[in-house]
Amino acid sequence: MRSELYFQSSPWWLLLCLAVGAVYAFALYQRDVGWTQRMRLALAGFRFLVVSVVCFLLLNPLIRSVQTITEKPKVVLAVDNSESMTVGGRAQLDRALEAANELRERLTSEDIEVAVQTLNDSLATGDLKTIPFTQRTTNLSNMLGGIRNAYEGRNLTDVVLISDGIANQGLSPTFGRYNFALHTVGVGDTIPKRDVQLKDAIANKIAYLGNQFPIQAEVTSYGFQGKTGTVVLRQNGRELGRQTVSFDRPETFQQLTFQTSSSQKGMQHYVVEVLPQSGEFTPRNNRRDVYIDIIDGKEKILLLALSPHPDVKALRSIIEKNQNYELDIRIVNGGTADIPDKTYDLVILHQLPDNQNAGAAAVQRALQKNTPVLFIVGTQSGLSAFNTQNPVMQIVAGGGQTDKVTGRFNADFRQLNLDAQKLSLLDRLPPVLVPFGDYKLSPGSEVVLWQQVGSVRTSKPLLAINSSAQRKAAVLAGEGLWEWRLEEFALTDNQAVVDELFQKVMQLVSIKEDRRKLRVYPVRNEFLFGEKVVFETEMYNDIYEKLFDRPVSLEITNERAVPRSFNYTPTASNTRFEVSNLPEGVYRFRATASLNGRAETATGEFIVREQQFEAINTTADHLMLRQLAQQTGGRFYNAASLASLADDLVKRKPPGRLSSNEELNELINLRWLFFLIVLLISAEWGLRKYHGAY
């Protein structure tokens, strides 16, 4: 370290500091009080130094410190510790790891800093052969990108990747850009194995109680030409069906479809399996789990329209995109409509109530229950009746005049997770027809879209929602929705923005309010095997203020009806509870707690899904490793030639990198100066006291 002193004023002031110290010492010790000449000079010297140093510090000098550091070259050993590395046995892998241990020792002895990085962690020391190869996925791109970011700006020169080249997550590492030479060490067998795989099992996530639904199996094989295989569909150990596949070529791909149904509601677990063949490399990739949510019926929507209109077809297309909805469309004919006698979750009134009051009876019947409603105002709407029947907005218009407006998203609307950037597309869509007049929002209403006339922004609502009224409702104050969908398709080749907007509005209006006092739910519906299952807990009193510190009993039951019981107490700082080590399958849970003197219950279900990524592909990809090394200026090695890698790295060892750190501090901040002044003052005071002076 090198230090230099800098003055913020002329250094000639230093002479003045010395003069002040000398005058002060002379004035104090010039009188003879019985001390010896040597004592007077010593005391004067202490006082001179103290005063001079203090005056010097008042000039506020600066000290510049420069520290030079030599940074050793660094090498990272990146080890792919996924399960596929051990599929062919540990012998070849252990040889590679033993050679990597020797490589680390050799580089360390050559003054090269070596670090070890796996897919999930970094290791400072220890035998590489103790690394557990248990990772269920391989994301080489993420590991190499993490190394690049962690060592940015440091003297990282080389990375040695020990892998079989099988990447089943993320992008291929060959697409990445790396600022270091990447040397790859190929492990595993590049020759395809004799194997039968169930590559995938495809099914809808939702099916309806009692309905038939398909489960499709994709089977691949290698090396079983002339033989046949059997694919079985099971549920809870019970066989639901089996089919035969013929392996008529050395390498085959076939699709089979099972048709099945369920008489049980909730999440159902199905297993598709190819029975193992004699001489098959591994049976681990012969099975796939399928989870299907069996629901009892759909949410029912009634679309009641005054007359046929293109908007009716547009609404039908939007609603039928959601498999969870069942739509009834009824047109008022001669003042009546054939409305089924059933309970609906949402009623959509298109241009009803009307200005001729022709559909009054139909509207009254549709709204006789406290069903949420979506009003769509058009040129035939009767605004007087509309104003009395909707809790969202009041429209005062006369003479049947209309205006053409576009929609502008209200960025302050927070009830729905809508993307304001995507909704900017509304500016490019055709205008809709709205009544020309005054608009007034009712208490509790929130605006989703404002009206915009050309480029002029108005404070009139186009689409608004009231979720706090006795009857939840929404109002679209214009007709022409069908033109929006057509224009969006012409611009973007899809209708995602408009459809998503109205789907979410319908869901918000029709959703049933949850008034439970105890709510316990998993943070996700699906968890991967090995993950912790996390439950969130909410408890409320009678006025729905949050409660804490009440004990909760949780019972989790697997598919075999075997329960596991837990007890926990949520607090204000932690309302979550975690459960570990659950095997794969469908689980149902029941939580109970005593709140306000009453027993409250919450139930639900979740899935723990097994990952089989590492068993799908067992053929090492050394070609990708060669390409990766070539792109980055490195070389490809195998386990047998890994010893030569140390020689190559030592030969091209770069020099250490010099870096300097400069600091500029005020001299008065140095602590040792304070203690020096205290020491000088203390010495002077001690001598004076010792010789009898005060």
Side-chain angles (χ1 to χ4, degrees):
M1 179 183 290
R2 186 176 74 255
S3 300
E4 298 176 354
L5 189 66
Y6 286 86
F7 292 93
Q8 297 192 72
S9 54
S10 173
W12 292 103
W13 286 99
L14 182 59
L15 297 178
L16 180 60
C17 295
L18 296 174
V20 171
V23 171
Y24 193 105
F26 176 78
L28 187 61
Y29 291 106
Q30 65 172 329
R31 292 182 298 112
D32 187 359
V33 292
W35 290 331
T36 64
Q37 182 71 14
R38 178 180 298 178
M39 178 60 62
R40 291 170 57 197
L41 289 176
L43 292 174
F46 283 129
R47 184 56 59 99
F48 166 73
L49 288 175
V50 169
V51 175
S52 298
V53 169
V54 171
C55 292
F56 176 63
L57 293 177
L58 292 176
L59 297 178
N60 198 22
L62 303 176
I63 185 167
R64 174 175 173 265
S65 302
V66 180
Q67 184 178 16
T68 303
I69 302 172
T70 302
E71 189 176 4
K72 296 180 182 179
K74 294 178 175 60
V75 173
V76 173
L77 300 182
V79 181
D80 172 5
N81 62 325
S82 60
E83 290 180 343
S84 64
M85 293 280 284
T86 61
V87 169
R90 288 281 309 210
Q92 184 191 29
L93 177 59
D94 284 343
R95 287 196 299 272
L97 295 176
E98 182 61 36
N101 279 326
E102 296 173 359
L103 171 65
R104 179 167 61 173
E105 293 175 2
R106 171 79 184 281
L107 295 179
T108 303
S109 66
E110 294 289 342
D111 210 25
I112 297 175
E113 190 175 315
V114 182
V116 178
Q117 176 71 47
T118 63
L119 289 170
N120 61 323
D121 201 1
S122 59
L123 305 174
T125 58
D127 190 349
L128 298 184
K129 289 194 290 185
T130 62
I131 294 175
F133 288 79
T134 56
Q135 288 298 299
R136 293 176 173 268
T137 59
T138 306
N139 192 334
L140 297 179
S141 178
N142 185 61
M143 178 170 65
L144 296 174
I147 293 173
R148 177 189 58 208
N149 296 335
Y151 287 87
E152 185 175 3
R154 301 170 64 183
N155 194 18
L156 177 64
T157 59
D158 300 270
V159 172
V160 179
L161 174 63
I162 303 174
S163 174
D164 55 11
I166 302 173
N168 46 47
Q169 292 284 288
L171 296 172
S172 170
T174 56
F175 292 122
R177 294 186 177 182
Y178 311 106
N179 54 355
F180 46 76
L182 185 54
H183 309 279
T184 55
V185 180
V187 178
D189 195 349
T190 58
I191 300 175
K193 316 295 189 302
R194 293 185 74 236
D195 198 16
V196 177
Q197 294 183 15
L198 184 60
K199 200 166 188 67
D200 206 353
I202 304 169
N204 293 331
K205 291 186 177 181
I206 296 175
Y208 297 99
L209 190 66
N211 286 4
Q212 289 278 326
F213 52 87
I215 297 178
Q216 186 179 74
E218 296 181 348
V219 182
T220 63
S221 69
Y222 182 83
F224 289 97
Q225 184 177 9
K227 296 188 176 183
T228 59
T230 303
V231 185
V232 181
L233 175 66
R234 297 189 180 95
Q235 184 186 20
N236 296 329
R238 181 169 59 93
E239 186 174 312
L240 303 180
R242 64 169 54 204
Q243 297 187 39
T244 301
V245 292
S246 298
F247 305 134
D248 50 3
R249 293 187 302 276
E251 191 170 355
T252 63
F253 173 82
Q254 298 184 57
Q255 292 180 329
L256 305 173
T257 301
F258 293 91
Q259 292 289 339
T260 188
S261 63
S262 178
S263 58
Q264 293 180 303
K265 291 192 297 182
M267 193 66 66
Q268 303 298 317
H269 181 193
Y270 297 88
V271 176
V272 185
E273 184 179 10
V274 182
L275 298 184
Q277 294 283 331
S278 177
E280 188 175 351
F281 176 68
T282 177
R284 289 183 55 198
N285 49 23
N286 289 30
R287 166 182 163 145
R288 285 283 179 153
D289 297 282
V290 178
Y291 298 92
I292 301 177
D293 191 7
I294 307 298
I295 60 177
D296 185 11
K298 306 178 181 182
E299 287 201 13
K300 299 174 179 61
I301 297 178
L302 172 63
L303 174 51
L304 185 61
L306 177 66
S307 58
H309 193 283
D311 278 355
V312 175
K313 184 176 181 181
L315 288 165
R316 176 180 178 178
S317 299
I318 293 172
I319 294 169
E320 289 182 345
K321 277 187 174 182
N322 191 329
Q323 297 181 0
N324 235 349
Y325 287 153
E326 179 182 305
L327 177 65
D328 277 343
I329 300 178
R330 305 291 167 174
I331 305 297
V332 174
N333 184 13
T336 62
D338 183 17
I339 301 176
D341 188 15
K342 64 171 75 171
T343 300
Y344 290 96
D345 299 288
L346 176 66
V347 173
I348 302 176
L349 298 179
H350 187 272
Q351 300 198 99
L352 288 171
D354 61 291
N355 51 18
Q356 300 297 323
N357 210 27
V363 171
Q364 183 178 2
R365 184 177 177 189
L367 299 182
Q368 62 184 354
K369 299 178 181 178
N370 197 31
T371 307
V373 61
L374 168 60
F375 293 90
I376 299 180
V377 178
T379 55
Q380 300 182 71
S381 294
L383 296 182
S384 297
F386 165 81
N387 288 335
T388 61
Q389 293 179 2
N390 92 88
V392 182
M393 67 176 71
Q394 303 292 298
I395 303 177
V396 180
Q401 294 183 346
T402 60
D403 203 356
K404 292 184 177 182
V405 304
T406 55
R408 175 173 56 87
F409 177 61
N410 177 19
D412 295 328
F413 182 71
R414 293 286 187 268
Q415 286 198 59
L416 295 173
N417 186 18
L418 297 170
D419 190 333
Q421 186 174 1
K422 289 183 179 179
L423 287 172
S424 62
L425 174 74
L426 297 176
D427 295 338
R428 303 164 61 189
L429 301 183
V432 295
L433 284 176
V434 299
F436 179 77
D438 295 326
Y439 291 72
K440 181 180 179 182
L441 287 171
S442 302
S445 296
E446 293 190 63
V447 176
V448 184
L449 301 179
W450 296 105
Q451 295 183 23
Q452 180 166 310
V453 182
S455 60
V456 179
R457 299 183 175 185
T458 73
S459 58
K460 297 179 181 180
L462 175 60
L463 175 62
I465 294 176
N466 192 325
S467 301
S468 60
Q470 185 176 4
R471 183 198 300 273
K472 289 186 178 182
V475 172
L476 175 63
E479 60 175 298
L481 176 62
W482 65 278
E483 294 185 85
W484 280 11
R485 297 184 80 245
L486 286 179
E487 184 65 19
E488 182 184 356
F489 188 84
L491 293 172
T492 65
D493 289 333
N494 61 56
Q495 296 158 325
V497 174
V498 173
D499 288 5
E500 181 187 21
L501 171 63
F502 282 92
Q503 282 175 353
K504 288 189 174 182
V505 167
M506 292 178 200
Q507 289 173 0
L508 179 60
V509 174
S510 64
I511 192 170
K512 297 177 178 62
E513 190 173 0
D514 188 354
R515 305 295 291 178
R516 294 176 299 162
K517 306 291 179 61
L518 174 65
R519 304 174 192 176
V520 178
Y521 50 90
V523 295
R524 300 199 309 270
N525 292 327
E526 293 188 11
F527 297 88
L528 298 177
F529 176 72
E531 276 189 304
K532 291 181 179 179
V533 178
V534 182
F535 290 90
E536 184 68 61
T537 307
E538 299 177 20
M539 296 184 289
Y540 299 92
N541 61 16
D542 289 338
I543 59 174
Y544 286 90
E545 295 174 325
K546 281 199 170 184
L547 299 176
F548 303 99
D549 302 315
R550 308 295 200 276
V552 177
S553 297
L554 177 66
E555 184 178 87
I556 300 176
T557 307
N558 64 14
E559 297 174 63
R560 295 181 177 85
V562 178
R564 297 176 64 179
S565 298
F566 306 89
N567 294 289
Y568 66 98
T569 302
T571 63
S573 59
N574 184 16
T575 59
R576 293 192 168 189
F577 181 70
E578 298 178 348
V579 179
S580 305
N581 302 321
L582 289 180
E584 64 169 326
V586 176
Y587 292 85
R588 291 171 175 80
F589 66 89
R590 177 185 178 88
T592 57
S594 178
L595 303 179
N596 311 313
R598 294 188 299 272
E600 301 287 346
T601 303
T603 59
E605 59 187 5
F606 61 91
I607 299 169
V608 177
R609 188 184 293 275
E610 173 70 54
Q611 288 181 313
Q612 297 180 343
F613 294 113
E614 292 297 306
I616 294 174
N617 183 11
T618 57
T619 304
D621 188 359
H622 289 183
L623 181 61
M624 186 275 288
L625 296 177
R626 291 178 184 274
Q627 180 182 352
L628 185 60
Q630 184 179 8
Q631 288 178 186
T632 58
R635 291 182 59 188
F636 173 81
Y637 301 83
N638 54 38
S641 62
L642 187 57
S644 63
L645 174 58
D647 296 330
D648 295 340
L649 292 177
V650 170
K651 286 179 183 177
R652 55 189 297 269
K653 171 189 171 183
R657 187 171 63 180
L658 297 178
S659 60
S660 61
N661 183 27
E662 179 180 328
E663 291 185 359
L664 196 63
N665 294 315
E666 294 179 350
L667 191 64
I668 198 172
N669 292 330
L670 297 181
R671 292 184 179 181
W672 65 267
L673 282 177
F674 169 76
F675 291 108
L676 175 63
I677 294 172
V678 171
L679 179 63
L680 293 173
I681 293 175
S682 300
E684 181 189 359
W685 178 83
L687 288 173
R688 286 169 61 92
K689 293 288 287 181
Y690 182 77
H691 290 281
Y694 299 95

